[in-house]
């Protein structure tokens, strides 16, 4: 009688998923363990070769080179440091002290060439040995690793031939002393790979790739580094001069946004990010435990900025985080971004607000060009794009129906007057408007009521439409806004029409019961406006540590 084979049980889909996840965790743990072991071996090997000096030898500069002890705030330096960006021919023959990273290092025997990098700016430093001490110094410098932080004392010398490998092209530093402040271990990705030139189309394609499909592992030489690896090692990636310049521009947008609104007597406010219900009346919210009940991460400060106006602040703005639980993997979507929000009382017509937004954005664009021309140049070297085209005032405004007509006339799309315009159709619209009107910056007014939140003021002349608008750059939306409903009865009626339960936000409704200012506003995405102003193709380029449905680290 033959032995009966044991019955094989088919694993469920959930069990298979758990096994895959367990294997993935084990693989990651093994990879991390090997990486730590390798780093420890490299650290010990470097330590054996390291020339160390004491704190006193460093401060008195009695030694010309060496690794200094960890800086633990035991002294205050009296050196006058010179920034790399300030090095030019006017400092010829001047001895300077510079602290910067090693961007590249090369040399052999009695010579050494180091490109020093501080932020987005670089300068060449040279050393030619003429005695035993400088020979040992050259040998020491050649062994320093890329990205190490060093301090150099040397003479600024004007060069006859332009230095093409550095931003400071008319001078170099002839090194006299070199001190390593912090040595860098081998990099997880090469900075050169993070500096490769990319077109807008290539960036957009990267944005829509699934991160889990990218090959992971250590980079051992020049090779294409995908978006996942760059974001996993964001601290290295953001050191690329263009990436640093992007974050300078991002900071500038917030600065000039504030600057303009303060000049118009606006008040900056700070609203809650934990709220009792979805602020936009939709389902794309993050639900969180809040003691014995649930709360939601705010989709916008919408309700609170309106309430602030009705509390008689009259003109308010906020810069703060916004959360959207959208499972979207496009080049322009994030689950967390920075919102630039504005709300103001109006006298008679919501175009008062539109006029202000037009003026404000022109101010921001002009100020960036005026103050950050060098950063713009650095960005365009890696990410080629034409500068944005706009008018100094009274920028183009068209109605939603006019936008539909332009699309139908050019592309025969058969869109209805109230059809929802898709993102690819928005880009088509941008191309049509650039060709017809010669501008990248325009406003579309009178959006269909069905496409807007419950608190949007309906158009009095045509109930299909509303007193709402979007602002576009290069055929993509950067801002959305409207005149808001300030009548409690009309607000309740529109909420009912859209099946929005106002019970959890009754204080918001009540805010309009005791005499209400007519008002309008808008919300702008900081990362998106920077992306489109610079002509980039991926919003993750303008978010320092981006969040999407697959990424919550680093």
């Amino acid at each position: 009688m033959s032995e009966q084979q044991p019955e094989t049980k088919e694993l469920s889909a959930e069990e298979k998923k758990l096994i895959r996840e367990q294997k993935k965790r084990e693989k990651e743990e093994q990879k991390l363990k090997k990486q730590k072991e390798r780093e420890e071996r490299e650290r010990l090997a470097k330590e054996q070769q390291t020339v160390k000096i004491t704190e006193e030898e460093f401060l008195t500069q009695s030694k010309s080179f060496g690794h200094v002890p960890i800086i633990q705030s035991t002294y205050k330096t009296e050196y006058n440091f010179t920034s790399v960006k300030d090095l030019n021919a006017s400092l010829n023959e001047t001895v300077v002290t510079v602290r910067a990273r090693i961007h590249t290092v090369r040399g052999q025997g009695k010579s050494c060439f180091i490109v020093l990098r501080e932020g987005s700016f670089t300068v060449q430093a040279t050393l030619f040995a003429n005695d035993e001490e400088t020979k040992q110094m050259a040998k020491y410098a050649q062994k320093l690793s890329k990205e190490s932080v060093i301090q150099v004392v040397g003479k600024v010398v004007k060069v006859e031939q332009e230095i093409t490998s550095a931003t400071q092209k008319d001078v170099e530093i002839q090194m006299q002393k070199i001190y390593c402040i912090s040595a860098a271990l081998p990099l997880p990705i090469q900075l050169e790979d993070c500096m490769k030139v990319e077109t807008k189309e290539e960036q957009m394609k990267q944005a829509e790739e699934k991160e889990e499909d990218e090959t992971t592992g250590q980079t051992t030489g020049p090779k294409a580094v995908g978006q996942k690896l760059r974001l996993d090692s964001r601290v290295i990636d953001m050191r690329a001069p263009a990436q640093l310049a992007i974050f300078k521009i991002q900071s500038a947008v917030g600065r000039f946004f504030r600057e303009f609104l303060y000049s118009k007597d606006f008040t900056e406010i700070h609203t809650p990010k934990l709220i009792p219900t979805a602020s936009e009346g939709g389902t794309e919210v993050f639900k969180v435990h809040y003691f014995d009940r649930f709360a939601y991460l705010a989709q916008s400060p919408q309700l609170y900025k309106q309430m602030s106006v009705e509390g008689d602040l009259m003109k308010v703005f906020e810069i703060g985080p916004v959360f959207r639980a959208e499972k979207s993997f496009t080049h322009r979507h994030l689950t967390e971004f920075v919102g630039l929000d504005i709300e103001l009382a109006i006298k008679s017509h919501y175009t008062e607000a539109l006029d202000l937004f037009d003026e404000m954005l022109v101010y921001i664009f002009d100020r960036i060009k005026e103050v950050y021309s060098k950063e713009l140049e650095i960005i365009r070297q890696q990410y080629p794009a034409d500068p944005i085209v706009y008018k100094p005032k009274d920028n183009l405004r068209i109605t939603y129906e006019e936008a539909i007509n332009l699309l139908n006339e050019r592309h025969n799309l058969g869109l209805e007057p109230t059809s929802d315009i898709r993102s690819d159709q928005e880009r088509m619209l941008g191309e049509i408007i650039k060709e017809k009107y010669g501008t990248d910056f325009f406003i579309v007014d009178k959006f269909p009521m069905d496409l807007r939140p419950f608190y949007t003021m309906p158009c009095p002349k045509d109930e299909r439409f509303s007193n709402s608008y979007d602002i576009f750059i290069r055929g993509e939306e950067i801002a959305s806004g409207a005149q808001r409903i300030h009548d409690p009865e009309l607000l309740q009626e529109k909420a009912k029409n859209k099946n929005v339960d106002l019970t959890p936000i009754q204080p918001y409704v009540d805010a309009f019961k005791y005499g209400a200012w007519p008002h309008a506003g808008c919300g702008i995405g900081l990362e998106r406006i920077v992306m489109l102003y610079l002509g980039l193709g991926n919003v993750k380029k303008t978010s320092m540590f981006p969040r999407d449905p697959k990424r919550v680290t680093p």
Side-chain angles (χ1 to χ4, degrees), residues 193-200 202-204 206-207 225-227 230-231 234 237-238 242-248 250 331 334 379 382-383 527 530-531 534-546:
D193 293 340
C194 302
M195 295 169 61
K196 63 182 177 158
V197 175
E198 293 177 2
T199 65
K200 182 176 180 180
E202 287 171 336
Q203 296 167 55
M204 291 176 72
Q206 284 180 9
V225 173
Q227 178 174 264
R230 291 180 66 172
L231 293 179
R234 187 56 146 170
D237 177 59
M238 68 185 289
Q243 194 63 60
L244 269 183
I246 287 169
F247 292 130
K248 292 280 188 181
Q250 186 200 70
H331 71 285
L334 296 168
I379 293 165
Q382 184 172 352
Y383 303 114
E527 293 85 351
V530 174
M531 174 185 77
L534 296 173
L536 302 174
N538 185 349
V539 74
K540 290 178 183 176
K541 300 283 187 197
T542 61
S543 175
M544 191 170 292
F545 298 104

Side-chain angles (χ1 to χ4, degrees), residues 431-468:
E431 291 169 0
I432 295 168
I433 285 176
K434 181 65 177 289
E435 181 183 318
K436 186 170 182 177
Y437 299 102
T439 183
D440 291 311
F441 174 35
F442 61 95
I443 298 170
V444 178
D445 191 13
K446 297 292 183 187
F447 268 68
M449 192 67 191
D450 287 345
L451 303 179
R452 297 312 236 198
F454 70 92
Y455 48 75
T456 306
M457 183 67 76
C459 175
K461 296 180 180 179
D462 189 334
E463 61 182 14
R464 296 175 301 165
F465 297 97
S466 63
N467 293 352
S468 66

Side-chain angles (χ1 to χ4, degrees), residues 289-348:
H289 286 281
Y290 190 72
F291 300 102
D292 60 345
R293 56 197 183 278
F294 289 106
Y296 302 87
L297 296 181
Q299 294 165 290
S300 79
Q302 183 58 50
L303 310 187
Y304 296 99
K305 62 180 183 173
Q306 288 184 253
M307 293 166 76
S308 299
V309 171
E310 300 311 334
D312 286 357
L313 281 176
M314 308 298 283
K315 297 189 288 186
V316 299
F317 74 91
E318 179 172 15
I319 300 178
V322 173
F323 302 91
R324 300 283 170 91
E326 298 177 352
K327 284 193 174 181
S328 181
F329 296 93
T330 75
H331 71 285
R332 63 179 191 166
H333 283 95
L334 296 168
T335 54
E336 179 185 354
F337 61 91
V338 178
L340 309 177
D341 274 272
I342 312 171
E343 205 75 21
L344 66 151
I346 58 174
K347 300 301 182 187
S348 57

Side-chain angles (χ1 to χ4, degrees), residues 213-254:
D213 291 342
E214 285 195 25
T215 302
T216 59
Q218 294 297 308
T219 301
T220 56
K223 62 171 70 173
V225 173
Q227 178 174 264
K228 180 182 185 301
L229 285 178
R230 291 180 66 172
L231 293 179
D232 286 346
S233 301
R234 187 56 146 170
V235 171
I236 305 300
D237 177 59
M238 68 185 289
R239 293 178 188 176
Q243 194 63 60
L244 269 183
I246 287 169
F247 292 130
K248 292 280 188 181
I249 300 297
Q250 186 200 70
S251 174
V253 171

Side-chain angles (χ1 to χ4, degrees), residues 61 63-66 84 87 93-117 123-131 133-144 148-159 163 171-180:
Q61 296 190 358
K63 295 284 188 180
S64 297
F65 61 94
V84 170
L87 296 171
E93 298 298 318
T94 304
V95 175
V96 297
T97 300
V98 173
R99 187 174 288 184
R101 290 190 184 278
I102 295 178
H103 187 60
T104 62
V105 57
R106 61 187 175 85
Q108 60 182 9
K110 298 180 181 181
S111 66
C112 184
F113 296 84
I114 297 176
V115 174
L116 299 172
R117 192 185 75 250
V123 66
Q124 178 174 279
T126 62
L127 173 62
F128 297 96
N130 53 22
D131 57 30
E133 184 181 10
T134 52
K135 185 177 179 181
Q136 291 302 314
M137 189 164 127
K139 185 178 178 182
Y140 168 79
Q142 290 164 15
K143 292 179 180 178
L144 292 172
S148 293
V149 177
I150 66 171
Q151 185 166 310
V152 168
V153 179
K155 186 196 296 184
V156 178
V157 177
K158 184 179 179 181
V159 296
I163 298 170
V171 294
E172 67 179 16
I173 299 175
Q174 292 181 352
M175 294 184 285
Q176 299 168 354
K177 300 178 188 294
I178 308 172
Y179 304 107
C180 183

Side-chain angles (χ1 to χ4, degrees), residues 259-424:
E259 197 171 88
F260 177 85
L261 292 174
Y262 277 134
S263 76
K264 300 293 183 179
D265 199 29
F266 274 70
T267 300
E268 184 170 8
I269 60 173
H270 307 283
T271 63
K273 303 309 165 201
L274 285 169
I275 59 176
T277 190
S279 55
E280 303 292 339
T283 58
E284 296 166 343
V285 291
F286 290 108
K287 189 176 183 179
V288 297
H289 286 281
Y290 190 72
F291 300 102
D292 60 345
R293 56 197 183 278
F294 289 106
Y296 302 87
L297 296 181
Q299 294 165 290
S300 79
Q302 183 58 50
L303 310 187
Y304 296 99
K305 62 180 183 173
Q306 288 184 253
M307 293 166 76
S308 299
V309 171
E310 300 311 334
D312 286 357
L313 281 176
M314 308 298 283
K315 297 189 288 186
V316 299
F317 74 91
E318 179 172 15
I319 300 178
V322 173
F323 302 91
R324 300 283 170 91
E326 298 177 352
K327 284 193 174 181
S328 181
F329 296 93
T330 75
H331 71 285
R332 63 179 191 166
H333 283 95
L334 296 168
T335 54
E336 179 185 354
F337 61 91
V338 178
L340 309 177
D341 274 272
I342 312 171
E343 205 75 21
L344 66 151
I346 58 174
K347 300 301 182 187
S348 57
H349 204 287
Y350 68 91
T351 52
E352 297 164 30
L354 274 180
D355 293 342
L356 178 92
F357 304 152
D358 187 339
E359 183 185 355
M360 177 190 73
L361 289 167
V362 167
Y363 176 83
I364 291 171
F365 300 159
D366 284 348
R367 290 284 282 145
I368 290 172
K369 283 196 299 184
E370 176 187 338
V371 181
Y372 291 90
S373 59
K374 187 64 178 177
E375 283 78 7
L376 292 174
E377 180 185 336
I378 290 169
I379 293 165
R380 285 171 186 148
Q381 285 172 358
Q382 184 172 352
Y383 303 114
D386 293 328
I388 182 177
V389 179
Y390 58 95
K391 293 169 61 179
K393 63 177 183 177
D394 300 327
N395 281 279
L396 177 68
R397 297 180 196 178
I398 61 172
T399 66
Y400 194 88
E401 277 194 280
E402 288 170 335
I404 291 286
N405 290 338
L406 286 172
L407 286 166
N408 285 337
E409 287 168 8
R410 174 64 62 87
H411 297 288
N412 194 29
L413 299 177
L415 297 173
E416 296 295 326
T418 58
S419 294
D420 191 2
I421 299 175
R422 301 191 313 264
S423 58
D424 60 321

